[in-house]
Amino acid sequence: MDGMKLAAPTAEQRARVNYDAYILGPGDSLQIELLDLPELSGRFTIGPDGTIYLPRLRALYVEGLTIEELRSFLNQQFSAFVLQPDVYVRPVGYRPVRIYVRGEVRRPGYYTLSGSQQIQEELAQTSSLITNNFDTQTTLQQKESSAIRAARKSIGGNPEAIAIEFPTVFDAIRAAQGITPYSDLGKVEVTRTQPISSGGGRIRTKLNFISLITDGNESQNIRLLDGDVIKISRSDEVLREQLLEAGQTNLSPQFLEVFVSGRVKVPGGKVLPQGSTLIQAIDMAGGLKILHGSIEFIRFNREGAVDRRVFRYNRNAPSDDYKNPVLMAGDVIRARESPLSAATEVIGEITEPALGLYSIYGLLGGINQ
């Protein structure tokens, strides 16, 4: 199903529980009940080796199964001890998910995300009453599991009764230290492994994540599962408006630090808001001194290349012009010496020792008199 066009889910679809979308793994906790046999029922956790230890059945390898696949598997296993077993399985605690973020983020890589993932008893009981029928041809977004709305309705709409928070795409981008000026949030891609019962392989969905920031479109901020890969596309040009919009949220760090040196009044590291430009950094450094020369701009790209520019300072250069780039953390700006200021400095270096000797001589002469 890779490459298929995917539609956004409706609110009704997002509220449905689909246990077949979740693949079990080490750390997941399950409530397993064998009807009318409480001595064989209880809460069990999948161990680091992917096995779960159950009464009578001992250790069973269950990693990689969905909830429904596990239920069917346990019915088969318990049939050796019980006539027509009827096993009920529900998740009561989810493991942290390990995801990979790549593309145009500040720090791509593997991240382990976890939130308040322990499901309260009220929510778990409500979830068991909601249908888990789902068309296997529906999109990844439509397969997102969420029982929050139904649970709130069932328990009287009390928001305090719900304490569940699953990692989302927003959390993944934040973990990767946010976006860069070139991140295209209109083209975010999530790739996910499908259960074997759904055909196996991987499916992919594309999200317009900028609509979450600008319009609060939560349908684009889907829940992440273990093993998901999130890719942020790169724009060929700086998306400053998007950067400023994101700067109003906690998606990225609010500030960045650059280094300004040379013929400025207050050189050193400067902390500026996201979306700031070279001119703003120079202003933050107190402005240029008289007799300054050209401006040197250096940026070390993530790929290992160096973006080095030397140009005459133009106070009126527009934002993201070659002479006024939108800044990224770690950029270096140096106001070079002009020929005249350099000559003046050399003269100062030559005359300073002589003036020092003359002062000492005068001091000694005054003492001897």
Side-chain angles (χ1 to χ4, degrees), residues 54 57 60 71-82 85:
L54 299 176
L57 300 181
L60 297 174
R71 191 189 71 81
S72 178
F73 174 63
L74 293 181
N75 276 328
Q76 294 176 4
Q77 296 299 311
F78 276 118
S79 63
F81 306 96
V82 180

Side-chain angles (χ1 to χ4, degrees), residues 357-368:
L357 289 172
Y358 179 78
S359 299
I360 294 170
Y361 176 77
L363 178 63
L364 293 174
I367 293 174
N368 293 329

Side-chain angles (χ1 to χ4, degrees), residues 18-24 28 65-67 94-95 223 225:
N18 175 34
Y19 288 148
D20 283 346
Y22 187 77
I23 299 176
L24 296 169
D28 286 330
L65 300 179
T66 65
I67 300 295
Y94 290 93
R95 69 189 186 276
R223 171 191 170 186
L225 300 183

Side-chain angles (χ1 to χ4, degrees), residues 94-326:
Y94 290 93
R95 69 189 186 276
V97 300
R98 184 169 167 82
I99 52 94
Y100 184 73
V101 186
R102 66 188 184 97
E104 196 58 30
V105 289
R106 291 187 61 193
R107 194 168 181 81
Y110 278 104
Y111 294 93
T112 300
L113 304 179
S114 60
S116 302
Q117 296 176 308
Q118 194 67 29
I119 302 182
Q120 292 187 355
E121 188 67 19
E122 296 92 342
L123 181 59
Q125 290 174 353
T126 303
S127 300
S128 69
L129 301 176
I130 303 175
T131 178
N132 60 6
N133 269 340
F134 233 94
D135 183 357
T136 56
Q137 298 301 313
T138 54
T139 70
L140 175 57
Q141 288 166 271
Q142 292 170 330
K143 288 184 176 182
E144 179 186 8
S145 299
S146 172
I148 294 177
R149 293 187 186 180
R152 281 182 176 160
K153 182 178 180 182
S154 173
I155 58 179
N158 177 14
E160 299 300 323
I162 302 300
I164 178 171
E165 178 185 339
F166 293 108
T168 64
V169 174
F170 191 96
D171 300 315
I173 296 175
R174 282 192 67 195
Q177 298 184 15
I179 61 175
T180 78
Y182 297 94
S183 302
D184 188 351
L185 292 179
K187 297 178 181 177
V188 176
E189 197 173 83
V190 179
T191 304
R192 175 171 298 169
T193 301
Q194 284 201 115
I196 296 175
S197 59
S198 298
R202 299 174 74 81
I203 55 173
R204 180 177 300 163
T205 189
K206 295 182 178 179
L207 307 172
N208 179 18
F209 198 73
I210 190 65
S211 67
L212 171 70
I213 297 172
T214 57
D215 304 321
N217 184 1
E218 279 286 345
S219 69
Q220 303 301 300
N221 188 30
I222 65 173
R223 171 191 170 186
L224 297 178
L225 300 183
D226 201 38
D228 283 355
V229 177
I230 300 92
K231 178 187 176 184
I232 313 300
S233 297
R234 178 183 172 88
S235 168
D236 293 331
E237 56 186 30
V238 170
L239 302 176
R240 188 163 186 255
E241 291 302 318
Q242 174 190 271
L243 193 65
L244 293 175
E245 287 277 1
Q248 302 302 311
T249 73
N250 60 347
L251 180 65
S252 295
Q254 187 176 0
F255 299 98
L256 57 86
E257 185 175 11
V258 298
F259 189 78
V260 186
S261 65
R263 291 200 58 81
V264 292
K265 295 177 182 177
V266 188
K270 304 300 171 187
V271 177
L272 301 113
Q274 291 285 350
S276 298
T277 64
L278 178 140
I279 291 175
Q280 291 171 312
I282 291 176
D283 287 344
M284 186 67 73
L288 297 170
K289 291 182 178 179
I290 60 173
L291 304 179
H292 67 83
S294 57
I295 302 297
E296 182 178 12
F297 171 77
I298 300 174
R299 171 177 293 164
F300 298 94
N301 294 321
R302 194 172 61 238
E303 296 80 9
V306 178
D307 179 2
R308 182 175 178 273
R309 312 176 191 180
V310 179
F311 48 83
R312 292 179 61 86
Y313 182 69
N314 180 4
R315 174 73 187 176
N316 299 315
S319 174
D320 200 36
D321 182 79
Y322 181 82
K323 296 182 178 182
N324 188 29
V326 174

Side-chain angles (χ1 to χ4, degrees), residues 38-42 44 52-60 78 81:
E39 65 274 13
L40 299 181
S41 305
F44 307 94
I52 193 168
Y53 191 88
L54 299 176
R56 296 285 182 93
L57 300 181
R58 306 304 182 192
L60 297 174
F78 276 118
F81 306 96

